[in-house]
Amino acid sequence: MLLDTLTSFLTDTWLFWVLLSVGGLLFWKARSSQYFHYILNRYILALITLLLVSGIVFSLMEVLPGDCAEKIMAYKNTQGESISQADIDAERVRLGLDQPMPVRWLSWVSELTLNGDLGYSCAKRQSVNLALGDRFWMSFWFCIAGLFFAYLIAVPFGILSAFVINQPWRDHNPHNSKLQRGVNTLGLTSNKLLDLLLRMVSYLGLALPNFLLALTIILLFVFAGESAPVGLFSDQWKSEPWFGDAGFQTGKLTDFLAHIWLPIFVIGWAATALQQQTVRALVVDESNKLYVEAARARGVSGVALWVKYPVRHSISPLFNSVGFDFQRVFNDLPIVAVVIGLTDAAALLIEALALTNDQELAAAILFLVALVVISMNFITDSVLAAIDPRVRKSVLAGGQ
């Protein structure tokens, strides 16, 4: 009996023990390592930041009109029950809403930390964990795919843009033959035109809202007489299982891929434009530093010079901004989700804030987004401190 009780307690409070175990392991490692001392400090700072974020989110949701008791009683009233103010007050007592806001916040944080419980959704009349289901993971992978698409396009073309920014349109080297100058001029002109095209596209990406891009693509499909790729599946495959009598249904996978590209492309559009400008600026800035000039003086030139020096040293700041890029992409996702007809956590956030006034559900989604951003920043800081000599040197110097 005691063993069952202990097992149940450990199972219900798994999140707390995971956080405690990670902190304990880092503390043990930090006794003999300046690197792990830095990681432990970052871990503690991340937990404190999450605590502050939870307080801010909970406080903002509290200022919205109405509470859970009123919503539950209003729903019962629509079912024909006669509701009085005494019934609403009794419901507030049952839900603990009669307690001061700091007490309720501490209770919410305790349930979240110990049990991973995100609270109760009054509008959905079920726990937030059940209301969210897999929707948050759907939004998470949308954002990750959008960022992957953005980096896949922005990094190489941002480097190319920085590489050709100071190059001429034509080869005027008198030591080259006329044929060689013509071939070189063709390559230089092609690179400059490609750079101009990419910069125009990036400016357009920064100026054109994502939801307008989504509407434009949908209208193009409509004008072409084709079915617009809204949602995740067409009506034919929406209710079909992934595995049928004949096994895995490749038709549903094909239909899914024919729809999933649209949200990934749309939410990655602005991120691509911004990252391309960022990569270009970082590489240009690094290429003008003295160590690059010293490398040129030693005879290093061409692609080898750029890859070994300015490009290599420009990647670290970009890698360190992944968490903030995720937040920026998620900020664009709610309105895009409404336009495209998705049912992920972003669309649920719009519903909770604008339609149902479900403070508990909205607070949970906002907190989860903050959790992902802070976790990504913690991971990138840890990785950079391990692999980047400049960051590692500053970490070791700070630990002395």
Side-chain angles (χ1 to χ4, degrees), residues 132-208:
L132 272 177
D134 296 330
R135 292 183 176 186
F136 184 78
W137 287 111
M138 186 189 304
S139 297
F140 174 81
W141 289 115
F142 276 149
C143 294
I144 293 297
L147 284 179
F148 180 78
F149 168 78
Y151 291 142
L152 188 64
I153 302 298
V155 172
F157 287 112
I159 294 172
L160 174 64
S161 180
F163 183 72
V164 304
I165 186 173
N166 292 322
Q167 289 185 346
W169 285 83
R170 298 178 61 187
D171 181 11
H172 299 284
N173 191 344
H175 299 290
N176 293 333
S177 65
K178 186 175 182 179
L179 177 61
Q180 185 64 40
R181 287 199 303 269
V183 173
N184 291 343
T185 297
L186 181 61
L188 290 170
T189 303
S190 300
N191 288 338
K192 297 291 281 187
L193 289 175
L194 179 60
D195 176 47
L196 287 176
L197 176 62
L198 292 172
R199 290 169 68 178
M200 290 176 59
V201 171
S202 66
Y203 291 140
L204 185 62
L206 293 174
L208 186 65

Side-chain angles (χ1 to χ4, degrees), residues 16-266:
F16 171 76
W17 296 109
V18 168
L19 295 174
L20 187 62
S21 300
V22 172
L25 178 62
L26 291 177
F27 178 79
W28 181 71
K29 289 283 189 179
R31 296 184 303 170
S32 57
S33 171
Q34 290 179 337
Y35 170 75
F36 280 103
H37 184 269
Y38 166 77
I39 300 302
L40 176 62
N41 289 337
R42 293 295 301 164
Y43 181 73
I44 295 174
L45 181 61
L47 293 180
I48 294 175
T49 304
L50 279 174
L51 187 64
L52 292 176
V53 168
S54 69
I56 294 172
V57 169
F58 194 87
S59 300
L60 290 176
M61 294 301 105
E62 284 289 309
V63 302
L64 296 177
D67 58 22
C68 193
E70 292 180 359
K71 295 169 188 174
I72 293 177
M73 291 295 104
Y75 171 75
K76 291 183 177 180
N77 192 33
T78 61
Q79 305 302 308
E81 297 185 30
S82 179
I83 304 300
S84 63
Q85 184 60 42
D87 295 325
I88 297 177
D89 294 338
E91 188 68 15
R92 285 198 177 100
V93 173
R94 187 185 72 83
L95 296 173
L97 298 177
D98 59 325
Q99 300 293 325
M101 194 269 286
V103 174
R104 287 184 281 116
W105 169 67
L106 287 174
S107 176
W108 185 67
V109 171
S110 300
E111 288 296 320
L112 176 62
T113 305
L114 294 175
N115 305 322
D117 186 2
L118 292 168
Y120 182 80
S121 171
C122 300
K124 301 291 184 181
R125 294 182 296 281
Q126 59 182 176
S127 70
V128 172
N129 298 55
L130 290 177
L132 272 177
D134 296 330
R135 292 183 176 186
F136 184 78
W137 287 111
M138 186 189 304
S139 297
F140 174 81
W141 289 115
F142 276 149
C143 294
I144 293 297
L147 284 179
F148 180 78
F149 168 78
Y151 291 142
L152 188 64
I153 302 298
V155 172
F157 287 112
I159 294 172
L160 174 64
S161 180
F163 183 72
V164 304
I165 186 173
N166 292 322
Q167 289 185 346
W169 285 83
R170 298 178 61 187
D171 181 11
H172 299 284
N173 191 344
H175 299 290
N176 293 333
S177 65
K178 186 175 182 179
L179 177 61
Q180 185 64 40
R181 287 199 303 269
V183 173
N184 291 343
T185 297
L186 181 61
L188 290 170
T189 303
S190 300
N191 288 338
K192 297 291 281 187
L193 289 175
L194 179 60
D195 176 47
L196 287 176
L197 176 62
L198 292 172
R199 290 169 68 178
M200 290 176 59
V201 171
S202 66
Y203 291 140
L204 185 62
L206 293 174
L208 186 65
N210 285 354
F211 71 90
L212 185 58
L213 175 65
L215 286 174
T216 302
I217 295 175
I218 292 173
L219 288 176
L220 289 176
F221 273 88
V222 172
F223 292 152
E226 301 290 337
S227 177
V230 295
L232 294 178
F233 299 98
S234 61
D235 294 336
Q236 176 186 355
W237 291 101
K238 185 179 299 183
S239 58
E240 292 291 330
W242 284 100
F243 291 90
D245 296 334
F248 182 77
Q249 303 200 69
T250 57
K252 183 163 186 172
L253 177 61
T254 303
D255 186 74
F256 174 74
L257 295 177
H259 287 74
I260 197 63
W261 70 267
L262 180 57
I264 293 175
F265 175 76
V266 170

